Amino acid sequence: MIFRVVNEERMEQVRNLWKYSFEKEDDPFFQWYFSEYCGKDNTVIGGFDENDNLQNMLHLNPYMLRIRSYEQLVHYIVGVATAPESRGRHIFGELLKTAFEVLRSQQFPFVLLMPVYAGIYLPYQFSYCYYRHKYDMDIKIFQPGKTGKDLPVRREAADKGKLSAIYERAVKNWNGVPVRTDFQWKKLLTVHGMENVLCAVCYRDTEAAGYMLYKVADGVFNIIELLSCDQEVRNRLLQYAAQHKSEITRLTWLAEEWDKSYLYFKDQNLSGELYPFMMARCIDARLALSKLSVSENIPEDSIILLLSDNIIERNNHLLKLKTSAGKLDVASTMDDGEITMDMDVFTQLYFGTFSATELYEAGMIWAGNVEKLALLDKIFPKCRNYINEYF
């Protein structure tokens, strides 16, 4: 099997494997993806047999993410598929390793993916770095909180400028969020338009203060994205959703992990649940650490980390981290490691999904010196992670 970046000459094979595995050729998304995006704004890596026939593939779609206040280009793995004649031969691992090497050579420290089944990716040291609060409820018993004010909601065409302003205000203190450029907004809204996604905007004193992108189909009101400047506006948009009782039977919504809308619900059975959403993996820990900024208030101290990578040999490290006001120095060392963790755990720590203390308490970190966990908590403070891109 030969693994390589797919060129235009072989793109028809990519189309055919996508058609077999995902949407059909007459699907609007298929037509848009292969006419406007695939091979132009992303990279496809494929495995080919001795007759140059595509046997498996993955697509690397680039996103600029703001991770710990630093904008980093991160590739989102989508379109993972294997031709039916090659399934069961365990060729995915080599394809993934090829993708890692390509991205490392281009100086990218992380990759993302949304798993259909996490068990496929856990052996390759991916870990969940984004969670959501999942709601799935009978619309007839849904009673959102009150707003206390008359906040008008209007159903209108999605306006990039209006939505972008709300998005930037809502996510400004969150981590791991995509920087939605004009290009990304155009891509997002184009696909939403093809999929009949609707838009409702809530106003306060004539200013747009929140929006909800949603879809109504098969008796379900599905909230695709709801962002607002405060809970009052959020409640008003949920009221708007609840007023569709005559058309739908259920409401579904993947809210932010920390959403507290359920505190207003009178029926405890509607409270929802924690939902693992998106995985990430660090493919170059040394590069990731070089991009890390620390607080001006961090104490002068040091810690020795032993990082273990089972897939990428060059990503195994024994590092000494030295901190001083607003500064982090990283150097290789031969001293004994004080804290040991696998690369999937390091990824969660770097993204701020969990603190070092939480990961230690969960048995994910080994600490020869438990007191050093406090310094790790300061180097990698816990964050609120949010992403809502699906392709």
Side-chain angles (χ1 to χ4, degrees):
M1 191 76 65
I2 300 173
F3 298 93
R4 57 173 172 251
V5 175
V6 177
N7 57 21
E8 182 59 34
E9 178 184 331
R10 297 178 176 85
M11 194 57 68
E12 186 61 28
Q13 292 193 59
V14 172
R15 290 170 59 94
N16 290 336
L17 183 52
W18 189 288
K19 181 169 55 177
Y20 188 93
S21 305
F22 308 116
E23 298 93 3
K24 301 306 179 186
E25 199 162 8
D26 59 356
D27 185 274
F29 180 82
F30 182 101
Q31 295 177 7
W32 172 84
Y33 188 76
F34 284 100
S35 64
E36 302 294 331
Y37 187 77
C38 187
K40 301 178 179 68
D41 296 296
N42 72 347
T43 300
V44 182
I45 297 178
F48 294 83
D49 64 16
E50 63 277 7
N51 296 316
D52 206 29
N53 294 317
L54 181 69
Q55 297 304 301
N56 64 354
M57 67 177 182
L58 59 78
H59 298 227
L60 299 171
N61 294 358
Y63 280 90
M64 188 67 74
L65 302 186
R66 190 173 67 244
I67 305 175
R68 296 197 176 275
S69 303
Y70 186 90
E71 292 187 3
Q72 303 188 41
L73 190 63
V74 177
H75 286 79
Y76 180 4
I77 298 175
V78 303
V80 178
T82 301
E85 60 269 23
S86 288
R87 293 174 186 176
R89 292 173 53 194
H90 308 291
I91 60 174
F92 171 66
E94 291 304 313
L95 174 70
L96 193 60
K97 290 177 184 178
T98 301
F100 289 166
E101 287 304 310
V102 169
L103 294 174
R104 276 178 59 94
S105 70
Q106 298 172 346
Q107 298 288 291
F108 297 122
F110 296 103
V111 289
L112 298 172
L113 59 79
M114 185 185 296
V116 174
Y117 175 64
I120 297 172
Y121 300 100
L122 290 173
Y124 299 100
Q125 295 186 292
F126 281 85
S127 57
Y128 276 110
C129 291
Y130 297 85
Y131 289 80
R132 303 293 282 273
H133 192 108
K134 182 179 181 179
Y135 296 101
D136 186 349
M137 62 187 71
D138 183 341
I139 192 67
K140 291 181 173 55
I141 59 173
F142 174 45
Q143 295 176 305
K146 296 181 179 180
T147 64
K149 292 182 181 179
D150 181 22
L151 299 174
V153 174
R154 300 175 194 147
R155 183 164 61 89
E156 54 191 59
D159 177 84
K160 181 188 67 175
K162 190 177 295 184
L163 301 189
S164 177
I166 296 170
Y167 177 85
E168 292 302 325
R169 189 162 68 236
V171 307
K172 66 180 180 180
N173 294 320
W174 301 349
N175 183 60
V177 296
V179 178
R180 288 187 182 168
T181 60
D182 287 346
F183 172 80
Q184 295 293 359
W185 273 109
K186 181 181 179 182
K187 182 177 75 164
L188 183 73
L189 297 180
T190 296
V191 174
H192 281 347
M194 292 187 299
E195 296 179 345
N196 300 315
V197 174
L198 303 173
C199 177
V201 180
C202 181
Y203 291 85
R204 175 183 280 125
D205 300 327
T206 72
E207 181 183 4
Y211 68 81
M212 179 167 62
L213 299 172
Y214 66 97
K215 188 173 182 177
V216 180
D218 302 321
V220 178
F221 190 108
N222 179 28
I223 299 175
I224 294 169
E225 183 164 84
L226 195 168
L227 292 175
S228 62
C229 61
D230 57 45
Q231 186 65 45
E232 188 175 59
V233 172
R234 175 165 294 214
N235 285 349
R236 179 66 187 93
L237 287 165
L238 291 175
Q239 287 176 2
Y240 170 86
Q243 290 161 358
H244 287 71
K245 290 184 174 68
S246 61
E247 296 119 302
I248 65 170
T249 56
R250 301 201 68 76
L251 181 142
T252 59
W253 176 30
L254 287 181
E256 302 91 296
E257 178 187 355
W258 53 90
D259 176 72
K260 295 296 184 291
S261 298
Y262 62 88
L263 295 177
Y264 296 88
F265 300 167
K266 294 180 181 180
D267 190 331
Q268 70 273 17
N269 294 313
L270 306 183
S271 295
E273 61 185 358
L274 184 68
Y275 181 76
F277 186 66
M278 193 170 288
M279 305 180 91
R281 192 198 198 281
C282 179
I283 58 175
D284 193 331
R286 190 69 179 262
L287 179 60
L289 287 168
S290 72
K291 297 176 180 292
L292 186 66
S293 60
V294 295
S295 169
E296 291 289 339
N297 299 321
I298 201 165
E300 189 171 314
D301 205 343
S302 66
I303 185 170
I304 300 173
L305 291 184
L306 177 59
L307 303 179
S308 176
D309 194 314
N310 298 333
I311 307 299
I312 306 172
E313 185 176 350
R314 290 181 294 162
N315 204 28
N316 287 282
H317 297 287
L318 182 58
L319 301 172
K320 185 172 186 177
L321 277 56
K322 294 179 64 176
T323 59
S324 56
K327 188 178 179 182
L328 177 69
D329 290 322
V330 181
S332 298
T333 182
M334 295 298 291
D335 295 338
D336 292 336
E338 297 171 307
I339 302 287
T340 300
M341 70 187 79
D342 290 336
M343 198 52 59
D344 49 351
V345 178
F346 174 75
T347 305
Q348 291 178 317
L349 182 67
Y350 192 101
F351 269 73
T353 311
F354 306 107
S355 69
T357 298
E358 287 174 322
L359 290 166
Y360 171 76
E361 291 172 347
M364 308 298 286
I365 286 178
W366 178 85
N369 184 349
V370 177
E371 293 181 358
K372 290 293 182 177
L373 292 170
L375 178 59
L376 269 189
D377 285 341
K378 291 182 173 67
I379 296 173
F380 302 99
K382 195 172 177 180
C383 301
R384 286 184 164 186
N385 294 345
Y386 178 82
I387 192 171
N388 200 39
E389 272 63 15
Y390 286 77
F391 57 90

